[in-house]
Amino acid sequence: MDEPDEREYWLDREIEMLRRALEDRGEMARGDLGRAVACKYWGPGRFSSALRAAVARGAIRRTGWGRYGPVRERPPG
């Protein structure tokens, strides 16, 4: 894999991790979401970049200041 392809591969994976965490657990504060996906192991700036890209791509949504949620709401029960 060349470098741009590799970056895109990892960004796609990180976005998917964010999407799945929010779909599984519902809306979360930024810090809680970071802990849920263990972003401290991703490298500097990667979590913020992945959050921005995930919102821009419509994979997740911002629900308020520093809060994110799934695109689709979970059914009750």
Side-chain angles (χ1 to χ4, degrees):
M1 244 186 283
D2 68 357
E3 196 171 306
D5 286 342
E6 188 172 354
R7 276 195 302 262
E8 190 63 26
Y9 169 81
W10 286 107
L11 180 60
D12 289 345
R13 285 193 57 170
E14 292 159 356
I15 289 170
E16 181 62 14
M17 291 172 70
L18 295 170
R19 186 192 67 75
R20 292 183 88 184
L22 290 168
E23 282 192 1
D24 289 349
R25 301 175 189 192
E27 182 181 327
M28 284 191 253
R30 185 182 192 277
D32 294 333
L33 179 56
R35 282 185 288 283
V37 297
C39 73
K40 69 181 183 179
Y41 300 108
W42 292 9
R46 303 264 303 255
F47 180 63
S48 294
S49 294
L51 275 177
R52 279 191 303 275
V55 170
R57 293 181 185 186
I60 66 172
R61 63 188 175 98
R62 262 189 95 157
T63 58
W65 190 80
R67 296 195 64 82
Y68 296 87
V71 172
R72 291 183 241 67
E73 292 298 320
R74 293 186 312 181

